[in-house]
Amino acid sequence: MFARLPLNALRTFEAAARLRSFKLAAQELHVTPTAVSHQIRTLEHHLGVALFQREARGVTLTAPGARLLETVHGALLDIGQAMDALRPRPGTGVVTVTTTHSFAALWLVPRLGRFYQEHPGCEVRLDATERVVDLLQDASVDVAIRYGGNEPPGLLAPAALAESFGVYGTPAAVRAAAKARPTLISVQWRDSTLYEQGWRQWCAAAGLRWLGGRPSMRHYEEEHYALQAAIAGQGLVLASSVMVSDAVGAGLLRPFKPGVRVPGDRYIVLCAPGRERHPPARAFLAWIEREFAGARDDEPVSRPAR
């Protein structure tokens, strides 16, 4: 059976399907685009189905092509790992994780000690960036933790963590806000209009008119800057229950009107099919799924009265 497998064509197909380009596959494999096209036609003839739709701007996978990519990509990863295990100097046990600066600083890094206690032979290499990494094309990244949106097609999404938003400050700032209109800390992230809308939703749910007239506002570009400003007593911040959880647990911040929360989005763990079989990635995915399960946002979410 194995003698009849077009192994070179399968390897070429995996590169072209992962990169969504015959030209890029040719560059990766150090062959010509014509050679890639020939190998793909050979494989399609062997299988009797079309694997790609050829279009003016490139190629897209057909349904059979997408199914074959999931299997072949994982199989090639398994082969690579088996070969690494046979080398005199085995792999380092590194899992590369991409996520935002704020999530890395405020949630992930403080918990990584527990991962290292469970897996002392593994190393987590963090790629903190606001850039969305294409996991199907960038083989150097194992796992992505992204905020919001739907699960991208073709990727595995083994875990998710929902959030809600509340208003937080130091104990002294919370006491002062009960007597006088406080300074509000704002974050200029993603879509500032959505953040302002969150403030309005929370104030409506709390029955407060803090945004009327000319409220005192302090603006920061990153969530971790805004939380540090709140911890320093500069005012009250509208913050994600996920991002603020450690500061609240340490007593640095406390909620103003604890029962008043507005809906947020969620953080999603993603990986390309087959990467979950890479031992360090498998260990990290199992660990973060447990961490997410233990950090569910169970507080009730208030909505503005109509």
Side-chain angles (χ1 to χ4, degrees):
M1 179 181 70
F2 294 110
R4 298 195 301 271
L5 285 176
L7 295 178
N8 194 37
L10 285 170
R11 179 169 175 263
T12 303
F13 162 77
E14 189 276 338
R18 171 168 43 82
L19 298 171
R20 301 295 197 271
S21 168
F22 287 5
K23 181 179 179 180
L24 293 178
Q27 293 174 0
E28 180 177 291
L29 299 172
H30 303 290
V31 298
T32 65
T34 301
V36 170
S37 181
H38 174 73
Q39 290 290 342
I40 298 301
R41 286 198 301 270
T42 298
L43 184 59
E44 288 177 326
H45 178 75
H46 178 81
L47 297 173
V49 296
L51 300 173
F52 291 94
Q53 291 180 348
R54 279 76 166 174
E55 301 170 349
R57 296 185 178 180
V59 294
T60 59
L61 284 168
T62 62
R67 291 197 300 271
L68 184 62
L69 173 62
E70 182 174 346
T71 299
V72 172
H73 181 72
L76 290 177
L77 283 173
D78 288 343
I79 292 171
Q81 291 159 22
M83 293 178 66
D84 286 341
L86 294 175
R87 292 191 176 104
R89 289 176 293 180
T92 58
V94 173
V95 54
T96 300
V97 180
T98 180
T99 190
T100 64
H101 291 93
S102 293
F103 187 85
L106 295 172
W107 196 93
L108 182 57
V109 170
R111 290 163 174 77
L112 280 180
R114 294 200 284 264
F115 175 78
Y116 289 130
Q117 286 179 348
E118 293 182 21
H119 305 281
C122 289
E123 176 189 348
V124 177
R125 182 175 296 155
L126 277 179
D127 175 22
T129 177
E130 306 307 311
R131 176 177 60 91
V132 176
V133 176
D134 188 335
L135 297 179
L136 293 175
Q137 293 195 25
D138 191 342
S140 68
V141 177
D142 297 294
V143 178
I145 305 171
R146 296 180 185 163
Y147 179 80
N150 297 321
E151 298 169 8
L155 297 179
L156 303 178
L161 178 60
E163 69 175 359
S164 62
F165 280 81
V167 169
Y168 301 86
T170 62
V174 167
R175 288 193 297 269
K179 301 175 181 178
R181 179 183 292 195
T183 296
L184 306 181
I185 299 172
S186 178
V187 184
Q188 299 300 310
W189 53 266
R190 305 179 188 101
D191 186 336
S192 59
T193 303
L194 290 177
Y195 192 83
E196 293 170 5
Q197 181 182 349
W199 260 117
R200 297 187 184 282
Q201 287 181 332
W202 186 89
C203 287
L208 297 170
R209 297 182 179 180
W210 285 350
L211 300 181
R214 300 180 62 183
S216 175
M217 300 284 290
R218 290 185 179 153
H219 302 280
Y220 291 91
E221 293 185 356
E222 296 284 348
E223 287 168 283
H224 49 294
Y225 299 158
L227 283 182
Q228 287 302 315
I231 290 170
Q234 294 180 19
L236 300 185
V237 64
L238 178 70
S240 160
S241 56
V242 172
M243 296 299 192
V244 81
S245 59
D246 286 352
V248 171
L252 299 173
L253 296 175
R254 58 182 289 189
F256 184 87
K257 290 187 175 289
V260 180
R261 309 281 287 278
V262 295
D265 211 312
R266 61 178 184 156
Y267 292 86
I268 311 173
V269 178
L270 300 168
C271 70
R275 299 303 290 182
E276 80 282 3
R277 296 201 289 271
H278 179 48
R282 183 170 65 241
F284 181 84
L285 290 171
W287 171 79
I288 199 167
E289 186 174 2
R290 293 194 304 273
E291 289 288 329
F292 272 17
R296 302 299 183 197
D297 183 8
D298 294 327
E299 293 189 40
V301 175
S302 302
R303 300 178 184 273
R306 297 187 177 181

